[in-house]
Amino acid sequence: MTALDLSSPVAVVGTGTMGQGIAQVALVAGHRVRLYDAAAGRAREAAAAIGARLDRLVEKDRLTAADRDAARDRLLPAENLADLADCSLVVEAVPEQLDAKQGLFRELEDIVGEDCLLATNTSSLSVTAIGGALRNPGRFLGLHFFNPAPLLPLVEVVSGFATDVSSATRAYEMARAWGKTPVACADTPGFIVNRIARPFYAEAFAVYEAQGADPATIDAILRESGGFKMGAFELTDLIGQDVNESVTHSVWRSFFQDVRFTPSLAQQRLVESGRLGRKSGQGWYDYGDDAERPEPHTAEPAQQPAYVVAEGDLGPASELLALIREAGIAVREEEEDHGTRLVLPSGGQLALADGQTSVEFRDVVYFDLALDYRRATRIALSASQDTSPQTLAEATGLFQALGKDVSVIGDVPGMIVARTVARIVDLAHDAVAKGVATEEDIDTAMRLGVNYPLGPFEWSRRLGRNWAYALLDDLHLRDPSGRYAPSLALYRHAYASDKREGSTS
């Protein structure tokens, strides 16, 4: 099955930001595009706005003047739905109201030809439910573009329960022909990106609600240790707190209030107060003209330890041993069957976040997961009120000797990056097990849709097959609400690994 022929007109219904963006993508790809909006005059206004954006592309040497003129000639505002009769694809981008979308597609079904694909750009409604109103739901599917559509490469091609495989294939090839990177997924709440991304926001908010750290510090740790482009607080301020909270509530309700997707009370209060982020001038941060961005907590300089004793290889943090030696600090290695920690001169221990708390042990400081310990510029440490000040000082001085800023947070099990990545990995495994998408498409979607430094399965392979399961299992023991209970899919993944390695546990 091939993509749509360029001679076939494409229609976009709804001329807001997303509708205009999708129309521009189809137009630049070479299609004739019909724009329709139920509000009088809106389609012509949208056509003019798209023309202005094409002018800017010419100014930036991203489009030739001749191609711009040809594209403008292919763009036609439609006066009514009947003008879309000869289109081979109609993409809907109207407000997220199920009745309105169903009514629109029932009308379109009586207008367009039998071979015309019908697609919704919904991000929160069920594709199956929208298509359920049609006589022929086999040609109906979701095409979820990301905003801004002309710039972001990802398109989720969503098959509803009744979508024909041939229809999904045609849409997939069409998106690729338009220069996009399509991923195929089943109709599930949040599709791929909005389903699997929930922990990125939820865990940051949970640490804040538990008074483990402030927003600026959590954001800095996610960026400078986790390798994420933005932290959860600054990103939701950019998206809009109301928009982000609405998506979270939609996914939570659609999964029958599954505790893994529980919304944040702190974010709800922010929305209720009208602090919606950048667009309102105030969100987690203040965006007023004279506002100063709060700085993350950074520990004062501390003396580096003369040596450390390495018990085990530190697992995902094994790269630290080379960095410690390069900093001129002696490393004494001792073989331990299950040891993955550093012993400091004071006798205190330094361990990678594992889902346990510092208060459970005599003298332990935890450090957070990093995407790349060599390149990370900040490391988070976690200690309890019973932790020896000398042990915390030695741990701080050690990482400062490696050239890292150090942020000390509360005694938070799993810390920040580690618990976030573990939950993302878990939801990804669960999605594959339930037939939502393939591992490859999930990794692609999370890298391109939300700009993650690694896809969940890339993280999983790097960290070890049992890492996420072990961390979440420990977290679940300390918070038995079910929020951190590892999925059956992750359990099977970890257990199969142990079995191959000869474990009987």
Side-chain angles (χ1 to χ4, degrees):
M1 189 70 66
T2 59
L4 303 181
D5 192 284
L6 286 178
S7 64
S8 302
V10 168
V12 177
V13 178
T15 58
T17 301
M18 284 305 302
Q20 290 183 32
I22 296 167
Q24 182 179 328
V25 171
L27 198 63
V28 172
H31 284 275
R32 287 178 288 151
V33 175
R34 310 270 170 76
L35 279 176
Y36 175 77
D37 198 293
R42 288 277 180 83
R44 293 193 179 278
E45 292 173 5
I50 294 170
R53 283 200 291 273
L54 296 177
D55 288 340
R56 288 195 289 274
L57 291 178
V58 172
E59 293 168 3
K60 296 177 181 178
D61 292 326
R62 295 178 183 172
L63 190 69
T64 67
D67 286 342
R68 174 201 58 195
D69 294 342
R72 277 180 168 165
D73 289 342
R74 294 194 300 271
L75 182 59
L76 180 67
E79 296 296 331
N80 51 65
L81 285 177
D83 293 338
L84 314 183
D86 62 340
C87 291
S88 56
L89 166 70
V90 180
V91 182
E92 163 270 311
V94 304
E96 296 285 78
Q97 298 170 5
L98 179 61
D99 290 348
K101 290 177 186 285
Q102 289 177 328
L104 169 66
F105 282 110
R106 277 195 296 264
E107 285 190 67
L108 285 169
E109 195 170 33
D110 292 331
I111 292 170
V112 299
E114 289 295 326
D115 61 346
C116 176
L117 285 177
L118 299 176
T120 175
N121 184 57
T122 186
S123 61
S124 62
L125 298 177
S126 163
V127 170
T128 300
I130 300 171
L134 301 180
R135 294 190 305 273
N136 177 19
R139 59 166 165 176
F140 181 79
L141 70 154
L143 282 177
H144 183 217
F145 289 78
F146 287 74
N147 190 30
L151 296 180
L152 295 186
L154 185 69
V155 177
E156 292 176 319
V157 181
V158 185
S159 292
F161 188 78
T163 303
D164 291 337
V165 172
S166 59
S167 298
T169 302
R170 285 175 66 198
Y172 185 97
E173 294 301 330
M174 177 213 67
R176 188 156 58 181
W178 287 5
K180 296 300 182 181
T181 303
V183 293
C185 67
D187 182 23
T188 184
F191 308 141
I192 297 175
V193 173
N194 280 330
R195 171 178 176 153
I196 295 174
R198 296 344 297 160
F200 180 76
Y201 314 109
E203 294 311 307
F205 298 161
V207 172
Y208 168 76
E209 290 175 336
Q211 301 187 58
D214 60 277
T217 299
I218 296 170
D219 278 353
I221 292 165
L222 286 167
R223 290 193 313 269
E224 300 173 40
S225 183
F228 294 95
K229 296 298 182 184
M230 299 181 75
F233 296 90
E234 57 191 341
L235 180 55
T236 52
D237 268 357
L238 178 63
I239 295 169
Q241 297 302 331
D242 52 339
V243 174
N244 183 261
E245 189 206 26
S246 176
V247 173
T248 299
H249 273 268
S250 174
V251 172
W252 176 61
R253 287 192 301 268
S254 297
F255 276 114
F256 310 107
Q257 300 184 5
D258 187 329
V259 68
R260 295 176 301 165
F261 301 102
T262 301
S264 161
L265 180 59
Q267 187 181 38
Q268 179 178 310
R269 291 291 181 259
L270 204 68
V271 173
E272 289 172 343
S273 70
R275 298 184 176 191
L276 306 182
R278 289 179 180 268
K279 62 186 178 183
S280 70
Q282 177 79 49
W284 295 111
Y285 300 108
D286 186 350
Y287 298 94
D289 293 339
D290 299 324
E292 293 185 7
R293 182 70 174 264
E295 293 294 324
H297 167 75
T298 302
E300 295 294 325
Q303 186 172 358
Q304 70 184 53
Y307 68 90
V308 296
V309 178
E311 295 185 348
D313 63 4
L314 296 187
S318 58
E319 182 182 23
L320 281 175
L321 298 180
L323 298 180
I324 293 169
R325 290 189 177 96
E326 291 170 17
I329 299 173
V331 177
R332 305 172 187 172
E333 296 193 53
E334 295 183 0
E335 291 189 9
E336 291 284 339
D337 289 340
H338 301 290
T340 55
R341 59 196 174 189
L342 295 174
V343 180
L344 299 163
S346 64
Q349 299 176 12
L350 185 60
L352 176 62
D354 59 6
Q356 301 181 86
T357 57
S358 181
V359 75
E360 300 171 50
F361 304 97
R362 184 181 64 82
D363 200 11
V364 170
V365 172
Y366 280 106
F367 64 94
D368 208 350
L369 181 69
L371 172 68
D372 182 333
Y373 283 98
R374 183 174 294 277
R375 298 176 63 183
T377 58
R378 182 176 299 272
I379 293 293
L381 300 180
S382 175
S384 76
Q385 67 271 21
D386 296 330
T387 303
S388 161
Q390 179 64 25
T391 297
L392 182 57
E394 288 177 346
T396 300
L398 174 64
F399 281 104
Q400 288 173 339
L402 307 186
K404 318 298 183 188
D405 288 328
V406 173
S407 292
V408 179
I409 69 171
D411 191 12
V412 177
M415 301 192 69
I416 296 170
V417 179
R419 70 196 288 179
T420 299
V421 170
R423 288 207 59 216
I424 289 170
V425 167
D426 182 44
L427 289 186
H429 277 280
D430 185 53
V432 169
K434 291 176 178 172
V436 173
T438 65
E439 292 185 8
E440 181 181 4
D441 276 355
I442 287 175
D443 276 353
T444 297
M446 302 313 290
R447 285 197 314 270
L448 298 184
V450 277
N451 213 10
Y452 283 3
L454 294 175
F457 294 97
E458 292 172 318
W459 271 113
S460 186
R461 288 188 290 271
R462 176 181 288 201
L463 296 169
R465 293 175 64 94
N466 191 53
W467 178 85
Y469 176 81
L471 187 144
L472 291 176
D473 196 39
D474 276 336
L475 264 171
H476 178 53
L477 287 174
R478 288 151 185 82
D479 179 359
S481 64
R483 179 187 181 104
Y484 299 104
S487 66
L488 179 59
L490 191 65
Y491 172 79
R492 285 173 170 158
H493 180 75
Y495 179 77
S497 173
D498 287 344
K499 195 171 182 180
R500 280 195 294 273
E501 293 166 7
S503 172
T504 59
S505 59

